[in-house]
Amino acid sequence: MKIIITENYDEMSIKAARMVSSQITLKNNSVLGLATGSTPEGMYRELINMYNNKEISFNDIITFNLDEYYNLEKDNTESYDYFMRKNLFNHIDINKKNIHIPNGMTEDIDYECINYDNMIKSKGGIDMQILGIGGNGHIGFNEPNINFEATTHLVNLTEDTIEANSRFFDSIEEVPTKAISMGVKTIMNSRKIILLANGKGKAEAIYNAVKGKITPTHPASVLQLHNDVTLILDKEAAALL
Ligand code: PGA
């Protein structure tokens, strides 16, 4: 694991955006795995700036998002589909047909999940996967005690995650309790992985991911087994390393 420790959130975001833009420069039709949440918002802002300055184009880029809430309409302002449009896709030249986000409104979960992994394979696999990390060590929505062999699947969110995500909803009752998420195996098949974390609330999860035992109890610890992972952390998230 390569670990980059930055002074603050903005520096973390700029470093991450530069890694993504280098990937795009190296391969203009890269397959990017994208994440939602508060952590990558600054990175997306930087990527939009780079696009506006004509440093990069997303015209041939293909994207696969990590996860989506189950049974939440795409146009709900808390869906990850909405998040991605608002924070990135509406501001860049990506071809809409190249955007993939699990369909949380599917009537056939098994088909949706198998098809999602098959689509990733058919595009040649993910070149660079961006990850955040949950305070409980989840990656995507792979919650503690996940099966490391899982591919894309329907997950039951833990109480920790529901509570953490309730900050975006009017009440905790409105937070979906299930999501469709790429599995650990899907994530581990990516050629490169960049994990971002900021704030002291992530310090313990980062410690467990980097120095802890590799165990499904701390899903992010599996990343120790991947040969091209970069963690970009602010000082607070790195405080226990
Ligand atoms: P956050 O979520 O970026 O909103 O902290 C990260 C995650 O839960 O994976």
Side-chain angles (χ1 to χ4, degrees):
M1 278 182 170
K2 187 170 165 202
I3 300 177
I4 300 174
I5 300 175
T6 61
E7 276 303 307
N8 53 38
Y9 179 80
D10 287 345
E11 196 189 331
M12 177 198 80
S13 303
I14 292 168
K15 284 231 160 31
R18 286 198 188 133
M19 290 193 73
V20 176
S21 71
S22 305
Q23 175 65 38
I24 294 174
T25 306
L26 281 172
K27 185 179 173 198
N28 66 350
N29 60 349
S30 290
V31 179
L32 302 179
L34 299 179
T36 52
S38 309
T39 312
E41 283 180 0
M43 178 192 77
Y44 292 138
R45 275 196 295 275
E46 282 304 316
L47 287 171
I48 293 167
N49 287 340
M50 290 173 177
Y51 166 72
N52 287 334
N53 294 335
K54 303 199 185 327
E55 291 166 40
I56 45 171
S57 164
F58 292 81
N59 202 32
D60 294 318
I61 292 294
I62 298 166
T63 65
F64 285 91
N65 264 79
L66 274 171
D67 45 21
E68 176 60 286
Y69 287 121
Y70 179 61
N71 218 358
L72 195 66
E73 299 279 354
K74 281 183 195 307
D75 285 332
N76 186 303
T77 54
E78 298 314 328
S79 80
Y80 290 163
D81 197 291
Y82 190 96
F83 173 102
M84 288 309 302
R85 280 180 276 142
K86 178 171 145 225
N87 288 289
L88 184 65
F89 297 148
N90 285 351
H91 311 282
I92 57 173
D93 60 344
I94 192 160
N95 202 325
K96 299 262 178 302
K97 75 173 182 7
N98 288 339
I99 295 172
H100 306 87
I101 300 178
N103 175 14
M105 295 302 290
T106 183
E107 285 176 7
D108 188 342
I109 282 285
D110 290 344
Y111 173 79
E112 178 64 25
C113 294
I114 291 169
N115 190 45
Y116 203 68
D117 281 302
N118 284 343
M119 277 193 301
I120 295 173
K121 278 191 206 127
S122 76
K123 302 294 177 191
I126 293 172
D127 291 304
M128 177 178 275
Q129 174 69 54
I130 306 298
L131 295 178
I133 186 168
N136 65 2
H138 73 200
I139 47 174
F141 271 136
N142 293 286
E143 302 283 31
N145 303 319
I146 188 73
N147 172 3
F148 281 167
E149 286 300 308
T151 51
T152 300
H153 62 300
L154 184 68
V155 293
N156 290 315
L157 304 181
T158 59
E159 289 196 2
D160 296 352
T161 298
I162 293 171
E163 197 179 319
N165 293 358
S166 68
R167 69 192 194 274
F168 300 114
F169 291 82
D170 290 338
S171 72
I172 197 158
E173 288 72 36
E174 286 178 32
V175 186
T177 56
K178 292 178 197 278
I180 298 177
S181 178
M182 280 186 199
V184 166
K185 190 164 183 185
T186 319
I187 294 170
M188 290 293 279
N189 279 339
S190 311
R191 290 184 190 89
K192 291 189 186 120
I193 297 179
I194 313 283
L195 184 144
L196 310 183
N198 68 288
K200 58 179 188 300
K202 299 293 172 70
E204 194 178 334
I206 290 296
Y207 176 85
N208 286 324
V210 176
K211 301 228 161 137
K213 194 169 146 215
I214 300 170
T215 161
T217 314
H218 300 293
S221 65
V222 74
L223 299 175
Q224 294 174 35
L225 299 173
H226 193 281
N227 63 8
D228 194 346
V229 179
T230 303
L231 270 57
I232 310 181
L233 312 171
D234 76 348
K235 278 194 306 205
E236 291 185 340
L240 301 177
L241 293 182

